[in-house]
Amino acid sequence: MTDFETSHHNTSRKKLPRRLFATALSLILLILLLVLVTYIILRPKKPRFILQDATIYAFNLTTATNSLTTTLQATISSHNPNSRISILYEQIHVYASYRRQQITLPALLPANTYQGHRDTIVWSPFLYGSSVPLATYHSGYLNKDQTAGTVLINIRVSGRIRWKVGAFVSWRYHLSVNCPAYINFGEKNNGIAVGPAVIKYQLIMSCGVHV
């Protein structure tokens, strides 16, 4: 092999990794472009959550230990507003909080729940919290709220979802939902009045959703 042929062979060997890298980079950019175009065309809308009902079975504050025992059932619906995109719910948890402090254990909803186009799913999990320690100032606020006749708690939904278009399934997105609910301590303390105002029974309340 002549010096020219050897030099040409060495140059080709050096260029090969660069060509492979350029090819791989081009494929990655093409895939990302297709995903972006698909996203722009379809414009997925986040699911709409509504707190339809909530019933209190126990809500007892023990002042001696600053602890709260809670038992409630929340009925939450999720609507998929997309006409061409399905939703896969993964590891979704529901729990109750008071002034940003979690007061019940997280209830795990059915894993890998599929929601079709414009479909609505309803969950009714039970939420339990037994002798949950409260911060001293939370205990004071709770006493005042109960004396006033109304306690605001939040039903929160947290987990991960995926968008599904045909055979394509997107990467995971974090789902965070906040549903305010007002406990009404009145003549009939058998449920939660849900909504922006205190009422004795039920008011369907839209929830804040972040994806």
Side-chain angles (χ1 to χ4, degrees), residues 45-47 78-82 85-89 113-116 161-164:
K45 298 177 182 178
K46 57 189 177 183
S78 169
H79 176 70
N80 177 12
N82 299 286
I85 302 176
S86 304
I87 301 176
L88 294 175
Y89 292 88
T113 300
Y114 173 81
Q115 186 176 38
I161 64 172
R162 294 175 183 260
W163 308 112
K164 188 175 186 298

Side-chain angles (χ1 to χ4, degrees), residues 108-205:
L108 181 63
L109 299 181
N112 299 319
T113 300
Y114 173 81
Q115 186 176 38
H117 311 153
R118 299 189 182 278
D119 193 13
T120 299
I121 299 175
V122 178
W123 297 287
S124 295
F126 280 88
L127 308 179
Y128 302 95
S130 179
S131 299
V132 177
L134 292 179
T136 303
Y137 55 90
H138 279 167
S139 179
Y141 281 127
L142 187 54
N143 270 320
K144 291 180 181 179
D145 291 342
Q146 288 180 316
T147 301
T150 306
V151 177
L152 171 62
I153 64 173
N154 295 86
I155 307 299
R156 297 184 179 272
V157 182
S158 179
R160 295 175 297 183
I161 64 172
R162 294 175 183 260
W163 308 112
K164 188 175 186 298
V165 183
F168 171 77
V169 179
S170 73
W171 48 82
R172 294 182 179 92
Y173 289 86
H174 179 69
L175 174 71
S176 178
V177 182
N178 178 31
C179 303
Y182 288 82
I183 302 176
N184 182 36
F185 288 88
E187 296 178 356
K188 298 181 179 180
N189 184 23
N190 61 351
I192 297 179
V194 182
V198 178
I199 56 176
K200 290 187 177 180
Y201 298 104
Q202 173 189 345
L203 173 65
I204 292 178
M205 177 66 183

Side-chain angles (χ1 to χ4, degrees), residues 1-73:
M1 182 179 291
T2 64
D3 293 341
F4 176 78
E5 290 174 338
T6 302
S7 176
H8 179 72
H9 180 69
N10 291 336
T11 302
S12 299
R13 290 182 61 184
K14 291 180 180 180
K15 288 183 178 180
L16 181 59
R18 297 178 183 177
R19 291 175 181 173
L20 291 175
F21 176 78
T23 301
L25 182 61
S26 299
L27 288 175
I28 292 173
L29 292 176
L30 180 60
I31 292 172
L32 292 176
L33 180 61
L34 290 175
V35 171
L36 179 62
V37 170
T38 302
Y39 182 89
I40 293 174
I41 293 175
L42 296 177
R43 294 182 180 275
K45 298 177 182 178
K46 57 189 177 183
R48 297 170 185 169
F49 280 76
I50 291 178
L51 180 59
Q52 295 184 333
D53 185 46
T55 301
I56 285 285
Y57 296 98
F59 195 79
N60 303 316
L61 174 65
T62 304
T63 55
T65 57
N66 285 330
S67 60
L68 179 66
T69 296
T70 307
T71 302
L72 66 91
Q73 183 180 22

